[in-house]
Amino acid sequence: MLSVLFLCTANAARSQLAEALVNQRYAEHFVAYSAGTQPKGIDPRTIKHLQAQGLSSSGLRSKTIAELEQDIQQQTQRPALFNFIITLCDSAKQECALLPNGEAILHWNLPDPASQQGMALFEQVFSELELRLAEFVRFNHNPQAALQIEPIDVFKQFSDNTRLQILMLIEDEQRLSVNQLCTALEVSQPKVSRHLALLRECQLLSTTRQGQQVFYHLNP
């Protein structure tokens, strides 16, 4: 069983949604936790949206990283150690000194649905989490099946300036389409597509589809 910790600033919406999703859809392979760098309590709309999606909010509470680590240590009699830590906002990512022990740290910068009125942004963020978590689980649920990329193959991809720029842009923006990359790099679509194909072949990039759009992102 692999453990994953979701972190955001308030531990009010994004990280709570992610914790519930993993623990109720992927409990066979993962156990999820959530915490906040400055927890403010769960937004009532988080509970409402989980219920609308047929998911339980039982056991969810807003807490600091220190509180979570203490809870885990009391339950297991061991220091808290996570296989994956996923930060869900830039603020949590920047507070690196506060991050607990984790074997791998990922960053998904998602908008805070609690910052806007209504449910629209909750629905958008939840859908984005569903897509990202499905791919995350696909690639990480079996540690024995982890990708084995030779360092020399990685450096070969980095040696081309266009491919390096593509990787840096995608790392910064999290996911981009071919058209968005063409605009940012000011190069032709065939050239961008050729480099994207090489990066996918090397398994540095993977894709998700949203409607008619295909988005490229770093392989989890």
Side-chain angles (χ1 to χ4, degrees), residues 119-131:
M119 297 297 297
L121 195 52
F122 275 86
E123 295 168 1
Q124 176 186 326
V125 169
F126 186 84
S127 296
E128 180 71 16
L129 281 169
E130 284 185 307
L131 289 171

Side-chain angles (χ1 to χ4, degrees), residues 36-180:
T37 55
Q38 300 174 43
K40 297 180 179 178
I42 300 178
D43 190 297
R45 291 171 294 174
T46 302
I47 308 300
K48 180 180 179 181
H49 190 70
L50 287 173
Q51 291 173 342
Q53 297 297 321
L55 298 174
S56 171
S57 60
S58 176
L60 296 180
R61 68 181 182 90
S62 187
K63 54 202 167 295
T64 65
I65 298 170
E67 288 172 335
L68 174 63
E69 289 181 310
Q70 185 177 17
D71 289 347
I72 293 174
Q73 188 159 5
Q74 288 176 349
Q75 294 169 10
T76 65
Q77 304 303 310
R78 295 192 303 271
L81 175 64
F82 304 97
N83 296 108
F84 300 94
I85 297 174
I86 302 179
T87 60
L88 299 175
C89 62
D90 284 336
S91 176
K93 178 186 179 183
Q94 291 164 4
E95 297 183 45
C96 296
L98 297 176
L99 295 184
N101 292 324
E103 296 178 9
I105 299 176
L106 306 176
H107 178 56
W108 300 347
N109 185 32
L110 303 179
D112 182 9
S115 66
Q116 295 186 11
Q117 294 183 351
M119 297 297 297
L121 195 52
F122 275 86
E123 295 168 1
Q124 176 186 326
V125 169
F126 186 84
S127 296
E128 180 71 16
L129 281 169
E130 284 185 307
L131 289 171
R132 292 188 183 225
L133 286 170
E135 187 147 343
F136 171 81
V137 169
R138 175 187 168 200
F139 282 103
N140 294 290
H141 76 275
N142 181 3
Q144 302 304 316
L147 295 176
Q148 298 295 322
I149 304 175
E150 293 295 330
I152 192 169
D153 292 328
V154 176
F155 286 115
K156 283 180 180 178
Q157 300 305 319
F158 288 174
S159 67
D160 180 90
N161 188 56
T162 300
R163 289 197 294 275
L164 183 59
Q165 286 181 305
I166 288 172
L167 288 169
M168 292 173 68
L169 283 168
I170 291 176
E171 194 282 333
D172 187 53
E173 297 295 331
Q174 300 303 301
R175 63 174 197 168
L176 290 169
S177 67
V178 173
N179 289 338
Q180 289 171 324

